[in-house]
Amino acid sequence: ADESSGYESESAGGERAPAAAGGTRGRQRRARTAFTSEQVCRLEKTFQRQKYLGASERRKLAAALQLSEIQIKTWFQNRRMKLKRQI
């Protein structure tokens, strides 16, 4: 079950697999998602109400913002880490 978020900063430069050192060989990563200001605003408002989303809430939010559920899940994970660093 390989769940990649599509973020380039997710791994340490992709050094864990020897094939990644070749550059173009192997599976290419998705380009990093550039969230619109409207999407970020909605995500932040939702995050202020609840720090964790259930599957149905994530599905609804993904549909409303035209993002994938994995993008929503990853955004919330990253936002919780940002909050943890701030505290």
Side-chain angles (χ1 to χ4, degrees), residues 34-43:
F35 295 105
T36 66
S37 56
E38 292 82 12
Q39 289 171 330
V40 173
C41 185
R42 178 82 181 270
L43 287 163

Side-chain angles (χ1 to χ4, degrees), residues 13-79:
E15 296 172 11
R16 58 188 163 167
T24 57
R25 291 190 343 204
R27 192 174 65 168
Q28 293 291 315
R29 285 188 179 267
R30 285 178 72 257
R32 182 176 169 149
T33 302
F35 295 105
T36 66
S37 56
E38 292 82 12
Q39 289 171 330
V40 173
C41 185
R42 178 82 181 270
L43 287 163
E44 286 289 351
K45 282 182 182 178
T46 306
F47 184 78
Q48 293 308 314
R49 279 188 271 118
Q50 52 189 130
K51 306 297 184 247
Y52 292 85
L53 291 181
S56 63
E57 295 149 329
R58 188 171 56 236
R59 210 173 3 262
K60 289 176 191 173
L61 190 57
L65 297 179
Q66 297 180 334
L67 295 169
S68 72
E69 289 183 52
I70 292 174
Q71 287 171 312
I72 300 294
K73 182 178 92 169
T74 303
W75 187 93
F76 269 78
Q77 286 174 339
N78 290 339
R79 187 61 182 84

